[in-house]
Amino acid sequence: MDILNRIFRHSPIRYAVAAGIALVIAFLSLLRTGFDLRIYYMDAFSVAGAAVILLGLLFMAAYFGAFDTFGYSFSMWRATRRYKDLYAYSEAKKEKRQKGGWTFMPFLVVGAVFLLTGLLLRIGL
């Protein structure tokens, strides 16, 4: 049950932001192609879903520490160092990230819903 809480229990604001980004991308895609045919809507929802999923995967990479090296290098510019080395910086950031939960999951869930909607439009439902 804990895994379901980590996946789906997030602030509604996070889901609204992810859905807003997807709707803007879908609307821009529809502006580009037109509002006439069903295939245009399928294309718009598929593109929006894929873009939001990729954004969620980028947030997931950041959550698991892929960009800690860059953050540490920028923190070295200060005159006073808060962390002894990169390992101490990474551990401090990991503890901070674990308190917030999987904040990237709303983007993956909303993106999957938009991608599924595009697929359903493709098969004619």
Side-chain angles (χ1 to χ4, degrees):
M1 198 64 174
D2 186 47
I3 191 78
L4 291 176
N5 285 336
R6 292 180 107 179
I7 292 174
F8 295 112
R9 275 223 178 152
H10 296 284
S11 171
I13 294 172
R14 292 187 189 274
Y15 284 103
V17 167
I21 291 171
L23 286 173
V24 166
I25 292 171
F27 182 70
L28 290 175
S29 178
L30 284 171
L31 281 178
R32 180 181 52 92
T33 58
F35 295 89
D36 302 340
L37 301 175
R38 186 176 66 194
I39 195 166
Y40 296 155
Y41 288 93
M42 185 241 1
D43 178 50
F45 278 101
S46 299
V47 167
V52 172
I53 285 176
L54 290 173
L55 188 61
L57 291 174
L58 182 67
F59 289 153
M60 184 172 70
Y63 175 81
F64 286 113
F67 304 115
D68 281 351
T69 306
F70 299 116
Y72 178 70
S73 65
F74 286 121
S75 74
M76 293 297 291
W77 287 355
R78 294 188 204 135
T80 60
R81 294 184 181 175
R82 293 179 57 187
Y83 304 101
K84 180 178 139 185
D85 55 1
L86 177 61
Y87 180 76
Y89 179 82
S90 295
E91 289 300 312
K93 290 295 179 180
K94 183 192 284 186
E95 289 176 10
K96 184 178 179 183
R97 283 190 297 261
Q98 286 178 348
K99 291 179 184 176
W102 288 354
T103 56
F104 55 87
M105 284 307 295
F107 288 90
L108 296 178
V109 170
V110 169
V113 167
F114 270 75
L115 207 55
L116 183 64
T117 303
L119 178 68
L120 290 176
L121 286 172
R122 170 70 175 111
I123 62 174
L125 292 178

